[in-house]
Amino acid sequence: AWWVALVGVGWGRLGGRAAPTVSAARAELLASASDVATLEWQAKEAAGASGYVVWSSSAQRGFMGFVGLRANDPATSQYQLWIFDRQRDQAFPVDGGVFDVSSTGEVVVPITAKLRVDDATLFAVTVERPGGVVVSKREHIAVLAPRG
């Protein structure tokens, strides 16, 4: 995915303008949105993994950071984010996008929610088939980040 290439690259040139890194975009969100929630990942199947989620309902934007999350082979499996919204049926969380991890160092990933999320109560990352799934069986939960 295009955003993976941005991680750790620094400032690149895009159309004559400086393109911010994912980390810089995260910092901008933290500085500009008044309702940003910051949550910590709790390792489930991904023993030793840690990190954070930052999410703004007003901006409908967020980022995930990971350290120690095992690298995946995109041909075999991908990570997929699920966002549980208090306003929706908990059996059907919002798809937050699929992503890959190429190292156990710090990885910052933008959240790409497929539907509006008004009151996020839980973020979960599962391991799914390449391309992700529409509804997860939640058999392989890597990390969770509950709110409050």
Side-chain angles (χ1 to χ4, degrees):
W2 63 269
W3 45 262
V4 174
L6 292 176
V7 176
V9 170
W11 291 88
R13 299 294 294 176
L14 182 63
R17 298 186 329 237
T21 63
V22 174
S23 295
R26 179 184 62 91
E28 183 273 326
L29 177 65
L30 287 168
S32 66
S34 61
D35 68 336
V36 173
T38 301
L39 312 168
E40 298 294 320
W41 288 119
Q42 298 173 3
K44 295 298 178 193
E45 287 187 8
S50 62
Y52 59 86
V53 175
V54 293
W55 176 256
S56 166
S57 290
S58 65
Q60 290 294 295
R61 290 181 56 211
F63 296 87
M64 304 175 282
F66 302 97
V67 173
L69 191 58
R70 189 180 71 211
N72 66 300
D73 175 357
T76 306
S77 65
Q78 287 189 291
Y79 290 106
Q80 188 165 4
L81 174 67
W82 300 97
I83 308 167
F84 291 79
D85 186 339
R86 190 178 319 276
Q87 310 302 320
R88 297 181 181 278
D89 184 335
Q90 298 305 291
F92 302 103
V94 174
D95 176 0
V98 295
F99 62 97
D100 300 312
V101 172
S102 59
S103 80
T104 56
E106 183 177 9
V107 176
V108 180
V109 180
I111 295 172
T112 54
K114 302 301 186 266
L115 300 170
R116 183 171 179 82
V117 176
D118 291 313
D119 190 2
T121 59
L122 175 73
F123 294 80
V125 173
T126 58
V127 178
E128 304 292 352
R129 68 176 188 240
V133 296
V134 175
V135 177
S136 177
K137 294 180 182 175
R138 303 180 201 166
E139 293 173 324
H140 300 287
I141 299 172
V143 291
L144 293 173
R147 185 172 186 177

